[in-house]
Amino acid sequence: MQTPAWYLNRLRSMSIAEILWRVRGASRQAVDRICHARRMSPPAVETLLRPGCSVDAAIRRETIGRHLLDDSIRARLSAEQLKALVVKADAILAGRIHLLGSEETHVGARPNWNHEYNIGIDTPMGFSGSIDYRDHRITGDCKWIWELNRHHHLVVLGRAYRATSEMKYAEAVKAQIIDWIAACPYGCGMNWRSPLELAI
């Protein structure tokens, strides 16, 4: 939280248009907070798909024609590149990933999406608009939270699946996405605080 003097100085530097824009944003956030307090349970993952389609069926449908692509993908990879990809993907399956240049971060096969792994604290799970992500005592370093939730490691698993046809990689992607949806309910926690993570 900034000092009152900082806010006063910031207010003096704003145009009338910016002040009005910020007031509208604060009003929307207040309405969101009220709606969030009264919200019902989020929809099940299955309801987010086309009617009559399950997550497993979606994956099975994706595998149709997979063999047409696998050979061309393998042809573009040298034996060393394929081996390196599999080693990296297997490390991810074991819960070992690299975050922000770290040597290796152990997040487990089912990461805690709301945990700041750098200093080892769980982050708040209240209404996202009320979380001051700049307060490291409460949230840790927001960059560490958000980096994990950008799911870069799922791209590696997807590439490994396409290159090897090993379903364990596709299943891990599916499991982590479903786990993320369950662990990060609408409007709650650090991962709803940043629009970039939601867009990804």
Side-chain angles (χ1 to χ4, degrees):
M1 188 64 91
Q2 303 292 346
T3 65
W6 183 92
Y7 285 108
L8 183 59
N9 187 49
R10 183 71 185 91
L11 186 61
R12 286 179 180 151
S13 67
M14 291 182 197
S15 67
I16 297 297
E18 182 179 355
I19 291 172
L20 292 174
W21 180 81
R22 290 184 180 276
V23 167
R24 281 196 303 270
S27 301
R28 279 194 306 269
Q29 186 168 320
V31 170
D32 285 347
R33 184 179 289 109
I34 293 167
C35 292
H36 180 267
R38 297 172 181 255
R39 76 175 168 84
M40 298 171 57
S41 296
V45 175
E46 298 288 347
T47 65
L48 304 178
L49 301 168
R50 287 197 310 269
C53 180
S54 70
V55 175
D56 289 328
I59 286 183
R60 281 195 300 275
R61 191 169 52 256
E62 171 62 21
T63 63
I64 296 171
R66 181 183 67 217
H67 62 283
L68 299 176
L69 296 172
D70 290 345
D71 289 341
S72 65
I73 290 171
R74 288 192 192 103
R76 289 195 302 262
L77 295 175
S78 68
E80 293 79 19
Q81 289 172 323
L82 181 59
K83 181 179 178 183
L85 175 60
V86 168
V87 166
K88 192 171 182 180
D90 287 343
I92 293 168
L93 290 182
R96 301 188 313 271
I97 63 175
H98 297 272
L99 295 174
L100 298 173
S102 66
E103 286 298 314
E104 196 169 68
T105 302
H106 294 267
V107 299
R110 293 184 64 185
N112 180 343
W113 304 107
N114 300 293
H115 186 77
E116 203 271 54
Y117 283 94
N118 187 41
I119 61 174
I121 64 168
D122 289 336
T123 58
M125 284 304 296
F127 174 63
S128 62
S130 298
I131 298 172
D132 183 0
Y133 61 87
R134 294 167 297 188
D135 188 340
H136 287 204
R137 295 167 304 155
I138 297 171
T139 64
D141 187 340
C142 61
K143 292 191 302 288
W144 279 79
I145 291 286
W146 292 334
E147 184 69 11
L148 174 64
N149 287 275
R150 288 172 185 167
H151 305 294
H152 298 301
H153 62 286
L154 298 188
V155 175
V156 176
L157 294 177
R159 290 180 63 221
Y161 165 65
R162 296 301 273 178
T164 66
S165 299
E166 291 280 344
M167 283 299 293
K168 64 182 178 179
Y169 301 121
E171 291 289 344
V173 171
K174 176 187 85 166
Q176 288 203 20
I177 291 173
I178 291 173
D179 194 50
W180 189 94
I181 292 170
C184 304
Y186 173 73
C188 296
M190 287 285 286
N191 293 311
W192 286 87
R193 190 71 175 90
S194 166
L196 178 58
E197 281 57 56
L198 298 180
I200 292 172

